[in-house]
Amino acid sequence: MNKSIGVAFEQYIADDIAKYAGVTMPVKAGFFNRIMVTKALCTALHPNPDDEFSIPSVGPSYRIISEYEKKYIYNSNHSMNYFDGEEPIMVEKIRPDGYMILNGHHRWAAALKLGYEKIPIQVINVTRNQEIKDIIKNSKHDKRVTLDLDEVVFWNPNNGPAENDLPFPLNKFYKDKLRLGIPALFRMLNQAGYDIWVYSSKFYAMEYIRALFNKYHVHVTGIVTGTSKRKQTSQEKNEMQDLYVKKYLFTLQIDNDSVFMMDNVRKEFQEFTIDKGINWSKSVMDIIKEIDA
């Protein structure tokens, strides 16, 4: 890429961030704004000042932008002046106007640099600390389980078989499958009085995740996505940790290979190895029964 073009684009990013510094705030988007992929003006999307993309010492990867530009040129529907063959940009609605980019800065940059007017977006509401605090405060349970959504809960080729596909046409909308045994495990945890929290480093629309769980008759207490992008001060981290310690007797972290128990009363930590000789979910259930005994 021509160096002068790169400098100009970085100046565009810096100017946009400076324009909105100190005046933006997240706005809860309504259900119909979030349930479907829509199209927005590229100029209505704003770079996230907390993302590495916007930090001068790191900045955009022009190699990645160039790859997306080539892809857009090859696949784009020029008559509509937007690219509709790529996954949508994940954004959060903000005041005074437009959307803050949560994931997809390089795709947005490629579309912007090519002069496209619009690009597909998925509006989501980010789960914030106050919402997490409210959920915990209103919970009647004193035990908690945490699981990684992508590595443990969702099926992938590395973690064994999957639950049966949802019937048509639901399987066309819900692309993610649950790992075999997750519904049974979550039902057991619900009955045993656990709060179930799932986390992901990626951004997902909450309605999509909750609706997917509902289709498998699964209930979870909380869903926290975009954990890799969440910016918290030391004070905020300590406040959240204190909240967990005061609320829950212990927390179980369920992994692919182990169940970790953090006992908040005794200040102890234990690791239980998941038996590879039986079904993953059966082994996890056996461990939890042993802990609860």
Side-chain angles (χ1 to χ4, degrees):
M1 176 180 291
N2 185 291
K3 185 176 181 180
S4 62
I5 296 176
V7 171
F9 183 65
E10 288 172 22
Q11 188 61 52
Y12 174 90
I13 296 172
D15 290 345
D16 190 88
I17 290 173
K19 177 182 176 182
Y20 288 90
V23 299
T24 61
M25 61 174 289
V27 177
K28 288 292 184 183
F31 177 76
F32 289 106
N33 291 126
R34 291 175 281 132
I35 196 63
M36 297 180 65
V37 173
T38 57
K39 295 181 286 291
L41 294 172
C42 287
T43 52
L45 272 60
H46 306 294
N48 192 330
D50 293 327
D51 194 279
E52 289 184 348
F53 178 94
S54 305
I55 300 173
S57 60
V58 182
S61 167
Y62 290 107
R63 177 187 61 80
I64 296 176
I65 293 174
S66 178
E67 289 175 357
Y68 277 121
E69 286 184 271
K70 294 174 184 177
K71 191 174 183 180
Y72 282 22
I73 291 171
Y74 182 77
N75 294 312
S76 183
N77 181 348
H78 290 284
S79 63
M80 297 298 291
N81 202 25
Y82 70 89
F83 179 71
D84 59 359
E86 183 69 36
E87 62 179 304
I89 309 296
M90 305 301 285
V91 300
E92 181 179 32
K93 192 174 182 180
I94 60 171
R95 184 173 284 129
D97 61 73
Y99 306 92
M100 183 71 71
I101 299 173
L102 299 174
N103 187 49
H105 280 86
H106 289 92
R107 283 176 279 140
W108 163 75
L112 191 68
K113 287 173 62 57
L114 287 171
Y116 291 135
E117 182 182 6
K118 295 182 178 181
I119 194 166
I121 63 168
Q122 175 80 61
V123 182
I124 69 172
N125 289 335
V126 176
T127 304
R128 302 191 180 279
N129 280 359
Q130 187 56 54
E131 294 170 284
I132 296 173
K133 290 178 182 178
D134 291 341
I135 293 173
I136 294 173
K137 180 181 178 180
N138 294 322
S139 171
K140 296 179 173 61
H141 298 147
D142 60 4
K143 299 179 290 185
R144 179 174 72 127
V145 168
T146 66
L147 306 95
D148 185 281
L149 193 61
D150 300 292
E151 295 297 323
V152 180
V153 177
F154 284 168
W155 172 82
N156 66 66
N158 298 318
N159 64 13
E163 289 285 322
N164 291 335
D165 287 346
L166 292 170
F168 179 85
L170 294 176
N171 60 344
K172 298 300 181 182
F173 180 75
Y174 298 102
K175 302 296 186 180
D176 298 283
K177 299 180 182 180
L178 296 188
R179 181 185 199 151
L180 181 65
I182 284 293
L185 171 61
F186 280 23
R187 182 173 182 273
M188 178 259 195
L189 289 167
N190 288 149
Q191 292 176 338
Y194 282 86
D195 278 351
I196 303 173
W197 287 80
V198 294
Y199 295 81
S200 174
S201 61
K202 301 178 183 178
F203 283 103
Y204 290 96
M206 296 298 158
E207 286 73 22
Y208 171 82
I209 299 298
R210 287 201 181 278
L212 173 62
F213 284 155
N214 287 337
K215 296 298 182 292
Y216 285 98
H217 307 287
V218 165
H219 169 74
V220 296
T221 308
I223 303 166
V224 182
T225 67
T227 55
S228 64
K229 303 287 186 180
R230 292 172 68 85
K231 303 295 183 181
Q232 290 183 307
T233 65
S234 297
Q235 181 180 346
E236 289 173 330
K237 291 179 181 179
N238 291 335
E239 285 179 355
M240 295 303 297
Q241 186 59 38
D242 288 343
L243 184 64
Y244 293 135
V245 169
K246 291 177 181 177
K247 177 67 177 181
Y248 299 110
L249 298 175
F250 59 84
T251 294
L252 301 182
Q253 178 183 324
I254 300 177
D255 207 337
N256 286 320
D257 302 312
S258 304
V259 176
F260 303 90
M261 183 180 78
M262 285 69 77
D263 191 317
N264 294 323
V265 177
R266 297 186 178 90
K267 308 299 181 185
E268 295 176 349
F269 174 89
Q270 285 183 275
E271 180 180 358
F272 302 83
T273 302
I274 295 173
D275 187 351
K276 299 291 187 180
I278 60 177
N279 289 339
W280 177 86
S281 56
K282 172 67 166 58
S283 180
V284 173
M285 290 181 191
D286 289 344
I287 291 171
I288 293 171
K289 290 175 183 177
E290 177 186 342
I291 292 172
D292 285 344

